């Protein structure tokens, strides 16, 4: 059962600055590409924010799952350098 009938909004930020957002439709894969810039120590840190969550036990008949869920991330890759 899906928790959301419409797109889930996911945004990304780097050092507190929004660097992108994407709408992900239910039961669809999506690719979210971002250009990140390394800090002075060479690390890139990005934070993802899911704008809505739901508790399956509250919206799916018969569910006992009480975790707040938003979106399922299947993978994360980093290509090249900025």
């Amino acid at each position: 059962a899906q928790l959301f009938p419409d797109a889930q909004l996911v945004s990304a930020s780097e050092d507190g600055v929004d660097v992108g957002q994407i709408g992900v439709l239910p039961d669809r894969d999506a690719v979210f590409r971002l250009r990140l810039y390394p800090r002075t120590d060479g690390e890139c840190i990005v934070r993802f924010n899911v704008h809505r969550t739901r508790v399956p036990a509250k919206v799916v008949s018969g569910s006992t799952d009480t975790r707040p869920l938003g979106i399922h991330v299947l993978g994360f890759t980093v290509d090249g350098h900025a």
Side-chain angles (χ1 to χ4, degrees):
Q2 65 187 40
L3 295 177
F4 300 93
D6 53 357
Q8 269 289 75
L9 183 63
V10 180
S11 61
S13 64
E14 186 177 26
D15 287 328
V17 176
D18 288 335
V19 293
Q21 66 181 18
I22 187 172
V24 182
L25 294 170
D27 296 327
R28 299 278 194 266
D29 290 343
V31 176
F32 191 7
R33 288 191 171 90
L34 302 167
R35 180 173 295 270
L36 303 176
Y37 297 93
R39 302 180 318 175
T40 55
D41 63 5
E43 290 185 339
C44 292
I45 297 175
V46 62
R47 299 193 189 284
F48 296 100
N49 182 47
V50 177
H51 292 256
R52 294 181 298 163
T53 61
R54 290 198 174 144
V55 176
K58 293 183 178 180
V59 296
V60 177
S61 179
S63 177
T64 58
D65 188 347
T66 58
R67 299 173 297 159
L69 303 176
I71 197 162
H72 189 151
V73 176
L74 299 174
F76 183 91
T77 60
V78 177
D79 296 326
H81 300 282

